[in-house]
Amino acid sequence: MRIELLPSSLAAGDGQFLTSYLVNDTVAIDAGSLGLLADLGRQRRVRHVFITHEHLDHVATLPVFLENVHDPGPDSPEVLASPEVLACLRADVFNGRIWPDFFALSTPENTFVAATKLEPFRPVARAGLTITPVPVSHGVATLGLVVEDGRSAVAFPSDTGPTEAFWRHLAAVPNLRAVCLEVTFPDALAWLAKEAGHHCTATFAAERSKLSRDVRWIVVHRKPRYAAEIAREIAALGLPNVELVQPGHVYEV
Ligand SMILES: [Zn+2]
Ligand SMILES: [Zn+2]
């Protein structure tokens, strides 16, 4: 399985403002930076876009992406999300004001987007992958995703604070290789992390101990203004198998 966090800017290192992952170049998880991918050919290869929740850093370029890849005809990308997120996208983004309602404009002959509802714990099979949504604990209803290709599995808990069901589910997933877990705030802002349903460094470490499996822990979603501080805190913990995500790097897992 090939995984890449799509960079959201040309700045190297800590300047990651938006969230999108590509899996095997054909499946996207979230559409924060998807529509910014400079290579339009790569955007056009993405046929399935899973949206974990409606926060702007995860959906910001979904309208741009759908516009970029639209071909007149019956084939279109598919957006997969919970019914609540799909309703939110239509009411708040594709509402005829912020952007045209691509869902309503789609006809069998000329489709802009196809919507598929995700349900917790009900796996969907797409592009050779099995993807299972599992609820996590964020400020809004959010589905983490577990992606399996038959040989390996990678977990994307998305935005979350301390949570339980996700780790219980992961305990039984075969061939789990990596978990992309967020640390949004440094420990000085632990109160804000708790308020917003995010992790600070200390709760990341506590969360990690809920899963007693030997996997790579890839730290994602550091707020750019705190990224260096979080990196220092993570390094100071000296935890094994913990690394900071490298935007644009292709992880082979
Ligand atoms: Zn969020
Ligand atoms: Zn986020």
Side-chain angles (χ1 to χ4, degrees):
M1 198 188 310
R2 299 171 68 252
I3 290 165
E4 178 183 353
L5 173 66
L6 294 178
S8 59
S9 73
L10 294 175
D14 292 340
Q16 184 71 23
F17 311 124
L18 303 164
T19 296
S20 288
Y21 302 92
L22 279 192
V23 183
N24 293 345
D25 282 327
T26 52
V27 168
I29 296 178
D30 287 330
S33 42
L34 180 59
L36 303 177
L37 194 52
D39 182 343
L40 268 181
R42 290 194 73 198
Q43 289 197 37
R44 293 168 65 88
R45 289 189 64 192
V46 175
R47 304 311 289 166
H48 314 281
V49 183
F50 289 75
I51 302 292
T52 62
H53 67 301
E54 66 266 39
H55 279 161
L56 194 70
D57 53 324
H58 299 254
V59 303
T61 69
L62 181 60
V64 178
F65 163 76
L66 292 174
E67 174 82 30
N68 287 346
V69 304
H70 176 66
D71 264 334
D75 292 328
S76 75
E78 176 188 29
V79 171
L80 305 94
S82 69
E84 295 79 11
V85 168
L86 290 172
C88 178
L89 287 172
R90 290 197 63 176
D92 298 337
V93 181
F94 297 91
N95 57 12
R97 295 185 301 278
I98 298 288
W99 207 250
D101 186 346
F102 281 172
F103 296 90
L105 289 172
S106 293
T107 63
E109 299 78 36
N110 188 19
T111 309
F112 289 86
V113 60
T116 299
K117 292 175 182 169
L118 294 178
E119 287 179 47
F121 303 104
R122 179 162 294 187
V124 296
R126 294 291 187 277
L129 302 167
T130 302
I131 299 173
T132 307
V134 181
V136 292
S137 307
H138 189 36
V140 296
T142 299
L143 291 172
L145 299 169
V146 181
V147 181
E148 299 172 76
D149 69 356
R151 286 177 305 173
S152 58
V154 179
F156 299 87
S158 188
D159 290 8
T160 183
T163 196
E164 300 300 332
F166 195 84
W167 307 121
R168 278 200 303 275
H169 179 84
L170 276 196
V173 170
N175 304 313
L176 181 66
R177 304 278 188 247
V179 179
C180 299
L181 184 59
E182 68 133 283
V183 181
T184 300
F185 293 107
D187 284 339
L189 293 172
W191 65 272
L192 185 53
K194 189 171 184 215
E195 191 76 22
H198 282 299
H199 281 301
C200 62
T201 305
T203 59
F204 167 88
E207 208 71 353
R208 182 178 165 281
S209 65
K210 292 180 182 174
L211 184 71
S212 52
R213 298 187 65 172
D214 187 22
V215 298
R216 285 171 83 169
W217 292 85
I218 301 173
V219 175
V220 299
H221 206 271
R222 288 176 293 150
K223 271 203 187 296
R225 63 182 300 185
Y226 306 121
E229 189 176 352
I230 294 167
R232 284 194 297 274
E233 290 179 350
I234 296 274
L237 291 176
L239 297 169
N241 302 328
V242 173
E243 61 197 281
L244 303 176
V245 73
Q246 298 174 52
H249 176 74
V250 176
Y251 294 82
E252 301 264 4
V253 292

Coordinates of all heavy atoms in Angstrom, one line a residue, residues 5 106 120 124-125 143 145 164 233 235:
L5 N 0.7 11.9 2.4 CA 0.0 13.1 2.9 C 0.3 14.2 1.9 O 1.5 14.6 1.7 CB 0.5 13.5 4.3 CG 0.0 14.9 4.8 CD1 -1.5 14.8 5.0 CD2 0.7 15.3 6.1
S106 N -26.0 16.6 -11.1 CA -25.5 15.3 -11.6 C -26.7 14.6 -12.2 O -27.8 14.4 -11.5 CB -24.8 14.5 -10.6 OG -23.6 15.1 -10.2
P120 N -20.8 3.5 10.5 CA -19.8 3.0 11.4 C -19.7 1.4 11.3 O -20.7 0.8 11.3 CB -20.2 3.4 12.8 CG -21.1 4.6 12.5 CD -21.8 4.3 11.2
V124 N -16.3 -0.9 3.4 CA -16.6 -0.7 1.9 C -15.4 -1.1 1.2 O -14.2 -0.9 1.6 CB -17.0 0.7 1.5 CG1 -18.4 1.1 2.2 CG2 -16.0 1.7 1.9
A125 N -15.6 -1.8 0.0 CA -14.5 -2.2 -0.9 C -14.4 -1.3 -2.1 O -15.4 -1.1 -2.8 CB -14.7 -3.6 -1.3
L143 N -15.6 10.1 11.6 CA -15.3 8.7 11.3 C -13.8 8.5 11.0 O -13.3 9.1 10.0 CB -16.1 8.2 10.2 CG -17.6 8.0 10.4 CD1 -18.3 7.7 9.1 CD2 -17.9 7.0 11.5
L145 N -10.8 6.0 9.8 CA -10.8 5.0 8.8 C -9.7 4.0 8.9 O -8.5 4.4 9.3 CB -10.7 5.6 7.4 CG -11.8 6.6 7.0 CD1 -11.5 7.4 5.8 CD2 -13.1 5.9 6.8
E164 N -12.1 5.5 22.4 CA -12.0 4.1 22.9 C -12.3 3.1 21.7 O -11.5 2.1 21.5 CB -13.0 3.8 24.0 CG -12.7 4.7 25.3 CD -11.3 4.5 25.9 OE1 -10.7 3.3 25.7 OE2 -10.7 5.4 26.5
E233 N 8.5 18.3 22.0 CA 7.9 17.5 23.1 C 7.9 16.1 22.8 O 8.1 15.2 23.6 CB 6.4 18.0 23.3 CG 6.4 19.4 24.0 CD 4.9 19.9 24.1 OE1 4.0 19.3 23.6 OE2 4.7 20.9 24.8
A235 N 9.9 14.5 20.8 CA 11.3 14.0 20.9 C 11.7 13.7 22.3 O 12.4 12.8 22.6 CB 12.3 15.0 20.2

